[in-house]
Amino acid sequence: MPVFAVTYVYGPDTETRMEHRPKHRQWQSGLHEAGVILASGPLDDSPAPGGLLVFRAADTAEVEAHLAADPYASIGVIDSVSIRQWTPVFGPFAEA
C-alpha cells in the first residue's frame, strides 16, 4: 500500500492550537494504532511552525478523508497542507 508524506503549515494562532493539541494527538494515536499513521511530529518553527505525518493509505483521497477528521482542521489552525506520495527505499517504511 502506498505511503504519503503530509506536511502542515500552522497559522499564527498558537494559543488555540496548543489548547486543542491533546485532541489532535488523540486523533493521531488512534490512526497510529490502526497502522494508518506510520510516524508524525512537529517541524521546527523556521520558516513557520508545522507538522509532518507519514500515512499508509490506498490513495490521496483516503489521506484527505483522514485529514478532514483531524481536530486541527475543524478549528482553522492549519494554513496549508501538502500531500505527496512517497516511495521509501530504505528504513522501516520500505516494502520488501
Side-chain angles (χ1 to χ4, degrees), residues 48-79:
L52 172 67
L53 303 94
V54 179
F55 281 81
R56 187 173 306 277
D59 53 31
T60 302
E62 183 180 334
V63 175
E64 289 170 339
H66 287 301
L67 295 177
D70 183 348
Y72 278 0
S74 65
I75 60 168
V77 296
I78 303 169
D79 273 1

Side-chain angles (χ1 to χ4, degrees), residues 10-21 45 49 72 77:
Y10 298 130
D13 191 351
T14 303
E15 184 177 326
T16 298
R17 183 167 41 91
M18 291 299 110
E19 179 183 328
H20 290 84
R21 180 184 253 177
D45 289 350
Y72 278 0
V77 296

Side-chain angles (χ1 to χ4, degrees), residues 1-3 56 88-89 91-96:
M1 189 173 299
V3 175
R56 187 173 306 277
V89 176
F93 310 133
E95 292 197 15

